Amino acid sequence: MSIEAKIQELNLELPEAPKPGGIYNPVVQVDDTLYVSGHGPLRPDGTMHTGRVGDEITEEQGVEAARAVGLTMLATLKQYLGDLDRIDRFVKVLGMVNAAPDFKHHPQVINGFSDLMVQVFEENGRAARSAVGMGSLPGNISVEVEAIVQLKKEARPSL
């Protein structure tokens, strides 16, 4: 099943791919590796999930925000690649949680992102991962995630 068909089957809605908010590229490609800049939790209406997890919002709302980051990142990857089926696997993920000082469940929050990638890409969506707490994130967003993604090798004709 194609990734597009999987997204439809899961009844997922990708937001509009966000424009860079600074002087950087959302995706940088080196050979068959994509380095995906940090993405925030964009809702379909263009607003962001905001609030400090464990203080202003609940852990469950943080999980929802992390899932929204996944959808946002997929939108950026689709815009960059044209076809999400070009992705072989997610290699490494760094999840950052805007967390209250005493919050301890950063990995559970970032599971919102990771669970989505496994739903869409199956085992190829399961990456090496770090999940850390931050004192703040830009615009008071709840979660930010960056990733390293490997593309499928292009089929080469036999000689």
Side-chain angles (χ1 to χ4, degrees), residues 10 63 67 108 110-122 125-126 129:
L10 293 169
V63 171
R67 184 174 176 85
Q108 289 84 348
I110 300 303
N111 280 345
F113 177 93
S114 297
D115 287 342
L116 174 69
M117 293 309 156
V118 170
Q119 284 179 326
V120 173
F121 294 95
E122 299 175 350
R126 188 181 306 268
R129 189 184 86 178

Side-chain angles (χ1 to χ4, degrees), residues 128-142:
R129 189 184 86 178
S130 300
V132 297
M134 299 290 176
S136 67
L137 287 172
N140 198 35
I141 59 174
S142 304

Side-chain angles (χ1 to χ4, degrees), residues 5-16:
K6 181 69 115 174
I7 288 171
Q8 286 182 347
E9 179 184 275
L10 293 169
N11 202 28
L12 300 174
E13 180 182 353
L14 300 184
E16 190 97 6

Side-chain angles (χ1 to χ4, degrees), residues 76-92:
T76 294
L77 288 166
K78 181 176 179 180
Q79 181 180 63
Y80 180 80
L81 295 169
D83 181 1
L84 292 172
D85 283 311
R86 293 184 56 202
I87 294 172
D88 183 31
R89 70 166 300 112
F90 277 71
V91 176
K92 176 73 169 89

Side-chain angles (χ1 to χ4, degrees), residues 45-107:
D45 67 4
T47 63
M48 294 286 232
H49 292 263
T50 60
R52 183 179 293 229
V53 181
D55 181 15
E56 300 167 307
I57 66 169
T58 66
E59 182 178 326
E60 293 75 24
Q61 289 170 311
V63 171
E64 288 176 33
R67 184 174 176 85
V69 173
L71 294 170
T72 305
M73 188 176 288
L74 289 176
T76 294
L77 288 166
K78 181 176 179 180
Q79 181 180 63
Y80 180 80
L81 295 169
D83 181 1
L84 292 172
D85 283 311
R86 293 184 56 202
I87 294 172
D88 183 31
R89 70 166 300 112
F90 277 71
V91 176
K92 176 73 169 89
V93 169
L94 169 61
M96 297 161 275
V97 180
N98 182 0
D102 61 345
F103 186 74
K104 295 177 177 55
H105 300 135
H106 310 92

